[in-house]
Amino acid sequence: MQKSLVLRVCGVALIAAGLSACAPGYNTGLSPDAQRAAGGAVAGAVIAKAVGERAATGALIGGAAGALCDDVGVCQ
């Protein structure tokens, strides 16, 4: 139980660090949609792994959500 909690907290910290790297103002050469898709894929994989699911499925769902979030008005 204690190990699971530590892994989840570390996963959340990793997600926060990954998403902070996608802040506006960094010239990465990627389009904003690609940046959001990459961040969503990383976040989805980490969250899926933390809750005991398949990381690839989480990355696929997170990447799609990241790429499409501005189209539905969530992250503008």
Side-chain angles (χ1 to χ4, degrees):
M1 172 104 173
Q2 186 70 13
K3 184 177 179 180
S4 176
L5 177 64
V6 171
L7 287 175
R8 288 181 185 178
V9 170
C10 289
V12 170
L14 182 63
I15 291 168
L19 291 178
S20 68
C22 294
Y26 290 104
N27 188 9
T28 62
L30 293 174
S31 71
D33 280 339
Q35 290 177 358
R36 285 189 295 270
V42 170
V46 170
I47 290 171
K49 196 65 175 172
V51 297
E53 298 295 327
R54 294 178 52 198
T57 304
L60 181 66
I61 294 169
L68 299 173
C69 72
D70 66 330
D71 295 335
V72 295
V74 174
C75 55
Q76 293 183 2

